[in-house]
Amino acid sequence: MVVTVSMNPAIDKTVEIPCLQPGGLNRITRVEYDAGGKGINVSKTIRELGGESIAAGFLGGNAGKMIENVLNEKQIRHDFIWVEGETRTNTKVFEINGAVTELNEPGPVIIPEQIEGLLEKLSGYADKNTLFILAGSIPNSVDKDIYARIIRLVHKKGAKVLMDADGELFRCALAAGPDMIKPNRVELEEYAGFDYRTSDRELFGTAKGLADKGIGTVAVSMGKSGAIFVRPGYAAKCPALSVKAHSTVGAGDAMVAALAYAWDLKLGNEETVRLCMAASAGAVTTVGTKPPAREIVDMLKERVIIEKMEDN
Protein backbone atom coordinates (compact mmCIF):
# COMPACT_ATOMS: atom_id res chain seq x y z
CA MET A 1 0.00 0.00 0.00
CA VAL A 2 1.23 3.49 -0.90
CA VAL A 3 0.16 6.55 1.11
CA THR A 4 1.00 10.02 -0.25
CA VAL A 5 1.17 12.81 2.32
CA SER A 6 0.42 16.36 1.11
CA MET A 7 1.01 18.79 3.97
CA ASN A 8 0.45 21.75 1.67
CA PRO A 9 -1.54 20.71 -1.45
CA ALA A 10 -2.65 23.24 -4.01
CA ILE A 11 -4.70 24.07 -7.02
CA ASP A 12 -2.14 24.42 -9.81
CA LYS A 13 -3.19 27.26 -12.10
CA THR A 14 -1.12 27.20 -15.28
CA VAL A 15 -1.30 30.20 -17.58
CA GLU A 16 0.42 30.67 -20.92
CA ILE A 17 1.47 34.04 -22.33
CA PRO A 18 3.67 35.10 -25.26
CA CYS A 19 6.21 36.96 -23.11
CA LEU A 20 6.04 38.15 -19.50
CA GLN A 21 5.94 41.94 -19.18
CA PRO A 22 6.74 42.80 -15.52
CA GLY A 23 4.75 45.83 -14.42
CA GLY A 24 2.70 45.78 -17.61
CA LEU A 25 -0.35 44.14 -19.17
CA ASN A 26 -0.06 40.42 -19.91
CA ARG A 27 -2.73 38.75 -22.02
CA ILE A 28 -3.22 35.07 -21.24
CA THR A 29 -3.64 32.71 -24.18
CA ARG A 30 -4.42 29.53 -22.22
CA VAL A 31 -5.39 28.55 -18.66
CA GLU A 32 -5.33 25.09 -17.02
CA TYR A 33 -6.42 24.13 -13.50
CA ASP A 34 -5.16 20.94 -11.85
CA ALA A 35 -5.41 19.42 -8.40
CA GLY A 36 -1.80 19.61 -7.32
CA GLY A 37 0.89 19.67 -4.72
CA LYS A 38 3.63 17.04 -4.90
CA GLY A 39 1.77 14.32 -3.02
CA ILE A 40 -1.40 14.80 -5.06
CA ASN A 41 0.63 14.72 -8.29
CA VAL A 42 2.26 11.47 -7.17
CA SER A 43 -1.13 9.88 -6.45
CA LYS A 44 -2.46 10.97 -9.86
CA THR A 45 0.56 9.50 -11.64
CA ILE A 46 0.40 6.22 -9.73
CA ARG A 47 -3.23 5.96 -10.78
CA GLU A 48 -2.34 6.61 -14.43
CA LEU A 49 0.34 3.91 -14.25
CA GLY A 50 -2.29 1.46 -13.06
CA GLY A 51 -1.57 1.44 -9.34
CA GLU A 52 -3.40 2.57 -6.23
CA SER A 53 -2.60 4.92 -3.40
CA ILE A 54 -4.25 6.74 -0.53
CA ALA A 55 -3.86 10.53 -0.55
CA ALA A 56 -3.63 12.11 2.92
CA GLY A 57 -2.76 15.51 4.39
CA PHE A 58 -4.65 18.76 4.92
CA LEU A 59 -7.42 20.36 2.85
CA GLY A 60 -9.47 23.49 3.38
CA GLY A 61 -12.14 25.65 1.76
CA ASN A 62 -13.43 25.59 -1.81
CA ALA A 63 -10.02 24.80 -3.25
CA GLY A 64 -9.84 21.76 -0.97
CA LYS A 65 -13.26 20.64 -2.17
CA MET A 66 -12.09 20.95 -5.76
CA ILE A 67 -9.11 18.70 -5.02
CA GLU A 68 -11.40 16.21 -3.27
CA ASN A 69 -13.72 16.17 -6.30
CA VAL A 70 -10.81 15.51 -8.67
CA LEU A 71 -9.59 12.62 -6.53
CA ASN A 72 -13.12 11.18 -6.45
CA GLU A 73 -13.42 11.47 -10.23
CA LYS A 74 -10.11 9.67 -10.70
CA GLN A 75 -11.11 7.03 -8.12
CA ILE A 76 -8.13 7.82 -5.91
CA ARG A 77 -8.72 6.97 -2.26
CA HIS A 78 -8.16 9.86 0.16
CA ASP A 79 -8.23 10.55 3.89
CA PHE A 80 -7.56 14.22 4.66
CA ILE A 81 -7.78 16.36 7.76
CA TRP A 82 -10.04 19.33 7.01
CA VAL A 83 -8.82 22.69 8.33
CA GLU A 84 -9.99 26.28 8.55
CA GLY A 85 -8.86 28.59 5.78
CA GLU A 86 -8.30 27.95 2.10
CA THR A 87 -6.02 25.44 0.40
CA ARG A 88 -3.54 27.48 -1.61
CA THR A 89 -3.47 28.17 -5.34
CA ASN A 90 -0.10 28.10 -7.10
CA THR A 91 0.18 30.01 -10.36
CA LYS A 92 2.71 28.98 -13.01
CA VAL A 93 3.30 31.43 -15.84
CA PHE A 94 4.69 29.85 -19.04
CA GLU A 95 6.23 31.89 -21.84
CA ILE A 96 6.72 30.80 -25.45
CA ASN A 97 10.50 30.69 -24.93
CA GLY A 98 10.07 28.06 -22.20
CA ALA A 99 10.65 30.34 -19.21
CA VAL A 100 8.48 29.62 -16.17
CA THR A 101 7.59 32.03 -13.38
CA GLU A 102 5.97 30.45 -10.31
CA LEU A 103 3.82 32.28 -7.75
CA ASN A 104 3.15 30.01 -4.77
CA GLU A 105 0.80 30.90 -1.92
CA PRO A 106 1.71 29.99 1.70
CA GLY A 107 -1.33 27.84 2.49
CA PRO A 108 -3.61 27.76 5.57
CA VAL A 109 -2.51 27.82 9.20
CA ILE A 110 -2.29 24.32 10.72
CA ILE A 111 -2.74 24.05 14.50
CA PRO A 112 -1.01 21.44 16.74
CA GLU A 113 -4.22 19.44 17.24
CA GLN A 114 -4.51 18.97 13.47
CA ILE A 115 -0.89 17.83 13.25
CA GLU A 116 -1.54 15.23 15.93
CA GLY A 117 -4.69 14.15 14.11
CA LEU A 118 -2.72 13.55 10.93
CA LEU A 119 0.01 11.63 12.76
CA GLU A 120 -2.63 9.39 14.32
CA LYS A 121 -4.19 8.80 10.89
CA LEU A 122 -0.85 7.89 9.32
CA SER A 123 0.07 5.60 12.18
CA GLY A 124 -3.14 3.68 11.51
CA TYR A 125 -2.00 2.92 7.94
CA ALA A 126 1.57 2.00 8.88
CA ASP A 127 2.77 -1.59 8.63
CA LYS A 128 5.53 -3.51 6.87
CA ASN A 129 3.60 -3.43 3.57
CA THR A 130 3.14 0.35 3.51
CA LEU A 131 5.23 2.99 1.74
CA PHE A 132 4.66 6.62 2.74
CA ILE A 133 5.49 9.41 0.29
CA LEU A 134 6.55 12.64 2.02
CA ALA A 135 6.83 15.20 -0.74
CA GLY A 136 6.85 18.96 -1.12
CA SER A 137 6.59 21.96 1.13
CA ILE A 138 4.82 22.39 4.44
CA PRO A 139 2.69 25.30 5.73
CA ASN A 140 4.61 28.04 7.56
CA SER A 141 2.86 27.09 10.80
CA VAL A 142 4.31 23.55 10.77
CA ASP A 143 7.72 22.77 12.31
CA LYS A 144 10.51 21.73 9.93
CA ASP A 145 10.97 18.45 11.80
CA ILE A 146 7.51 17.16 10.80
CA TYR A 147 8.85 14.76 8.15
CA ALA A 148 11.39 13.41 10.62
CA ARG A 149 8.57 12.86 13.13
CA ILE A 150 6.50 10.97 10.56
CA ILE A 151 9.47 8.83 9.51
CA ARG A 152 10.23 7.79 13.09
CA LEU A 153 6.54 7.16 13.79
CA VAL A 154 5.87 4.85 10.84
CA HIS A 155 9.25 3.11 11.07
CA LYS A 156 8.20 1.81 14.48
CA LYS A 157 5.52 -0.21 12.65
CA GLY A 158 7.85 -1.42 9.92
CA ALA A 159 6.66 0.94 7.19
CA LYS A 160 8.96 2.49 4.57
CA VAL A 161 9.29 6.15 3.57
CA LEU A 162 10.15 7.84 0.25
CA MET A 163 11.02 11.50 0.79
CA ASP A 164 11.21 14.37 -1.71
CA ALA A 165 11.88 17.73 -0.07
CA ASP A 166 14.49 20.47 0.05
CA GLY A 167 16.38 22.78 2.38
CA GLU A 168 15.96 22.43 6.13
CA LEU A 169 13.02 20.06 5.65
CA PHE A 170 15.33 17.72 3.70
CA ARG A 171 18.16 17.92 6.24
CA CYS A 172 15.90 17.27 9.23
CA ALA A 173 14.26 14.31 7.53
CA LEU A 174 17.61 12.73 6.61
CA ALA A 175 18.48 12.49 10.30
CA ALA A 176 15.47 10.18 10.73
CA GLY A 177 16.66 7.79 8.02
CA PRO A 178 14.16 7.70 5.12
CA ASP A 179 14.31 4.54 3.01
CA MET A 180 14.29 6.32 -0.35
CA ILE A 181 14.95 9.91 -1.43
CA LYS A 182 14.56 11.78 -4.73
CA PRO A 183 16.50 15.07 -4.60
CA ASN A 184 17.18 17.07 -7.73
CA ARG A 185 20.62 18.41 -8.63
CA VAL A 186 20.17 21.79 -6.91
CA GLU A 187 18.75 20.26 -3.73
CA LEU A 188 21.62 17.79 -3.45
CA GLU A 189 24.23 20.46 -4.18
CA GLU A 190 22.71 22.68 -1.49
CA TYR A 191 22.67 19.85 1.04
CA ALA A 192 26.31 18.96 0.34
CA GLY A 193 27.44 22.59 0.52
CA PHE A 194 28.59 22.96 -3.09
CA ASP A 195 28.64 26.60 -4.23
CA TYR A 196 29.11 25.72 -7.89
CA ARG A 197 27.50 23.45 -10.47
CA THR A 198 28.89 20.01 -9.75
CA SER A 199 29.93 17.33 -12.20
CA ASP A 200 27.90 14.16 -12.51
CA ARG A 201 30.74 12.29 -10.79
CA GLU A 202 30.58 14.66 -7.79
CA LEU A 203 26.82 14.23 -7.60
CA PHE A 204 27.26 10.48 -7.74
CA GLY A 205 29.76 10.65 -4.88
CA THR A 206 27.30 12.61 -2.74
CA ALA A 207 24.45 10.21 -3.56
CA LYS A 208 26.69 7.22 -2.83
CA GLY A 209 27.62 8.76 0.52
CA LEU A 210 23.94 9.00 1.47
CA ALA A 211 23.31 5.43 0.33
CA ASP A 212 26.27 4.24 2.41
CA LYS A 213 24.55 5.75 5.46
CA GLY A 214 21.61 3.39 4.99
CA ILE A 215 19.25 5.05 2.50
CA GLY A 216 18.12 2.20 0.27
CA THR A 217 17.45 4.23 -2.89
CA VAL A 218 18.90 7.59 -3.87
CA ALA A 219 17.48 8.89 -7.15
CA VAL A 220 18.91 12.21 -8.31
CA SER A 221 16.98 13.99 -11.06
CA MET A 222 19.20 16.26 -13.16
CA GLY A 223 16.84 17.76 -15.73
CA LYS A 224 18.37 17.76 -19.22
CA SER A 225 21.36 15.80 -17.88
CA GLY A 226 19.19 12.81 -16.98
CA ALA A 227 19.28 11.06 -13.60
CA ILE A 228 21.49 9.03 -11.27
CA PHE A 229 20.24 6.02 -9.29
CA VAL A 230 22.08 4.44 -6.37
CA ARG A 231 20.88 1.28 -4.61
CA PRO A 232 22.68 -1.45 -2.66
CA GLY A 233 25.11 -3.06 -5.11
CA TYR A 234 23.73 -1.01 -8.02
CA ALA A 235 24.50 2.43 -9.46
CA ALA A 236 23.51 3.83 -12.85
CA LYS A 237 23.17 7.02 -14.81
CA CYS A 238 20.57 7.55 -17.52
CA PRO A 239 20.73 10.31 -20.14
CA ALA A 240 17.52 12.34 -20.44
CA LEU A 241 15.09 11.14 -23.09
CA SER A 242 14.54 13.47 -26.02
CA VAL A 243 10.85 14.41 -26.10
CA LYS A 244 8.74 17.32 -27.27
CA ALA A 245 8.68 19.27 -24.01
CA HIS A 246 5.79 21.39 -22.88
CA SER A 247 6.74 21.92 -19.24
CA THR A 248 9.24 20.42 -16.81
CA VAL A 249 6.85 21.04 -13.90
CA GLY A 250 5.77 17.69 -12.45
CA ALA A 251 8.63 15.64 -13.91
CA GLY A 252 10.16 15.04 -10.48
CA ASP A 253 6.79 14.06 -9.04
CA ALA A 254 6.35 11.52 -11.85
CA MET A 255 9.72 9.99 -10.98
CA VAL A 256 8.68 9.70 -7.32
CA ALA A 257 5.43 8.04 -8.41
CA ALA A 258 7.34 5.56 -10.57
CA LEU A 259 9.65 4.71 -7.66
CA ALA A 260 6.64 4.08 -5.43
CA TYR A 261 4.79 2.05 -8.06
CA ALA A 262 7.91 -0.04 -8.70
CA TRP A 263 8.30 -0.64 -4.95
CA ASP A 264 4.69 -1.78 -4.72
CA LEU A 265 5.20 -4.25 -7.57
CA LYS A 266 8.65 -5.31 -6.27
CA LEU A 267 10.29 -4.53 -9.61
CA GLY A 268 14.02 -5.08 -10.12
CA ASN A 269 16.64 -2.34 -10.43
CA GLU A 270 16.68 -1.93 -14.20
CA GLU A 271 12.90 -2.12 -14.62
CA THR A 272 12.54 0.48 -11.86
CA VAL A 273 15.05 2.81 -13.50
CA ARG A 274 13.41 2.48 -16.91
CA LEU A 275 9.99 3.24 -15.43
CA CYS A 276 11.33 6.28 -13.56
CA MET A 277 12.99 7.77 -16.63
CA ALA A 278 9.99 7.11 -18.86
CA ALA A 279 7.43 8.52 -16.42
CA SER A 280 9.53 11.63 -15.83
CA ALA A 281 10.02 12.24 -19.56
CA GLY A 282 6.34 11.60 -20.20
CA ALA A 283 5.37 14.23 -17.64
CA VAL A 284 7.41 16.82 -19.53
CA THR A 285 5.13 16.41 -22.55
CA THR A 286 1.87 17.15 -20.71
CA VAL A 287 0.12 20.48 -20.15
CA GLY A 288 0.07 21.81 -16.59
CA THR A 289 0.78 19.17 -13.94
CA LYS A 290 -1.15 16.35 -15.60
CA PRO A 291 0.39 12.86 -15.40
CA PRO A 292 1.62 11.05 -18.52
CA ALA A 293 -0.59 8.36 -20.02
CA ARG A 294 0.54 4.78 -19.38
CA GLU A 295 0.89 4.04 -23.08
CA ILE A 296 3.31 6.98 -23.44
CA VAL A 297 5.35 5.70 -20.50
CA ASP A 298 5.51 2.19 -21.98
CA MET A 299 6.70 3.58 -25.29
CA LEU A 300 9.39 5.73 -23.68
CA LYS A 301 10.66 2.84 -21.52
CA GLU A 302 12.04 1.20 -24.66
CA ARG A 303 14.24 4.23 -25.32
CA VAL A 304 15.88 4.44 -21.88
CA ILE A 305 19.68 4.01 -21.89
CA ILE A 306 21.21 2.73 -18.65
CA GLU A 307 24.91 3.41 -18.01
CA LYS A 308 26.38 1.56 -15.04
CA MET A 309 28.49 3.62 -12.63
CA GLU A 310 31.30 2.52 -10.36
CA ASP A 311 33.43 4.08 -7.63
CA ASN A 312 36.75 5.38 -8.85
Side-chain angles (χ1 to χ4, degrees):
M1 176 172 61
V2 175
V3 179
T4 64
V5 182
S6 298
M7 303 289 292
N8 209 13
I11 298 297
D12 286 332
K13 180 180 179 181
T14 303
V15 302
E16 297 182 7
I17 59 175
C19 180
L20 182 64
Q21 303 294 331
L25 175 64
N26 291 274
R27 297 193 183 279
I28 296 171
T29 58
R30 181 173 183 171
V31 181
E32 293 279 342
Y33 290 90
D34 296 301
K38 282 184 172 294
I40 301 293
N41 290 340
V42 170
S43 276
K44 291 192 300 182
T45 304
I46 289 174
R47 182 62 177 171
E48 193 65 39
L49 291 173
E52 295 185 0
S53 67
I54 300 172
F58 301 111
L59 289 179
N62 290 327
K65 291 177 182 177
M66 176 181 169
I67 290 175
E68 182 182 51
N69 289 339
V70 169
L71 294 176
N72 287 337
E73 290 170 4
K74 296 182 177 298
Q75 298 182 326
I76 296 172
R77 292 173 60 192
H78 53 85
D79 192 3
F80 286 89
I81 300 285
W82 284 86
V83 302
E84 297 293 326
E86 191 76 22
T87 290
R88 63 192 180 137
T89 296
N90 292 341
T91 303
K92 307 175 194 307
V93 182
F94 285 86
E95 302 175 60
I96 289 177
N97 64 5
V100 182
T101 300
E102 298 193 50
L103 305 171
N104 290 356
E105 297 178 5
V109 173
I110 308 299
I111 61 176
E113 291 80 2
Q114 292 163 341
I115 292 289
E116 295 305 316
L118 179 62
L119 293 177
E120 182 178 352
K121 213 179 262 293
L122 299 181
S123 180
Y125 287 116
D127 62 32
K128 65 180 182 179
N129 297 313
T130 307
L131 174 68
F132 289 89
I133 312 295
L134 306 180
S137 68
I138 59 175
N140 294 334
S141 54
V142 177
D143 291 337
K144 296 293 187 182
D145 70 345
I146 184 61
Y147 281 178
R149 288 184 65 190
I150 294 173
I151 292 169
R152 294 187 180 104
L153 174 70
V154 302
H155 271 177
K156 289 178 181 178
K157 293 192 171 185
K160 304 295 185 183
V161 176
L162 196 172
M163 190 263 295
D164 179 16
D166 62 3
E168 187 178 354
L169 195 58
F170 180 79
R171 290 190 295 273
C172 288
L174 281 183
D179 304 277
M180 294 185 270
I181 59 174
K182 203 292 301 167
N184 62 31
R185 175 190 287 276
V186 173
E187 290 163 353
L188 197 58
E189 288 173 342
E190 179 185 348
Y191 162 76
F194 292 111
D195 59 359
Y196 59 91
R197 183 179 175 85
T198 58
S199 67
D200 291 353
R201 176 55 59 175
E202 287 173 309
L203 274 185
F204 169 64
T206 303
K208 182 69 165 54
L210 289 170
D212 289 343
K213 292 179 180 179
I215 299 176
T217 297
V218 181
V220 186
S221 55
M222 304 185 298
K224 293 181 180 180
S225 298
I228 290 172
F229 300 86
V230 182
R231 299 178 123 182
Y234 181 87
K237 177 192 171 185
C238 298
L241 293 172
S242 178
V243 295
K244 184 177 180 181
H246 187 88
S247 163
T248 60
V249 176
D253 301 338
M255 184 172 288
V256 170
L259 278 171
Y261 181 67
W263 175 88
D264 208 24
L265 294 183
K266 299 179 173 58
L267 300 183
N269 290 329
E270 296 214 346
E271 183 65 15
T272 296
V273 168
R274 288 185 184 279
L275 185 65
C276 285
M277 294 303 298
S280 182
V284 171
T285 68
T286 67
V287 178
T289 55
K290 293 178 174 58
R294 179 62 198 247
E295 52 266 31
I296 297 296
V297 174
D298 287 340
M299 178 188 70
L300 291 172
K301 277 170 56 179
E302 303 303 316
R303 294 170 46 195
V304 174
I305 298 173
I306 300 176
E307 302 169 356
K308 296 294 181 61
M309 302 187 76
E310 297 179 1
D311 291 330
N312 287 336

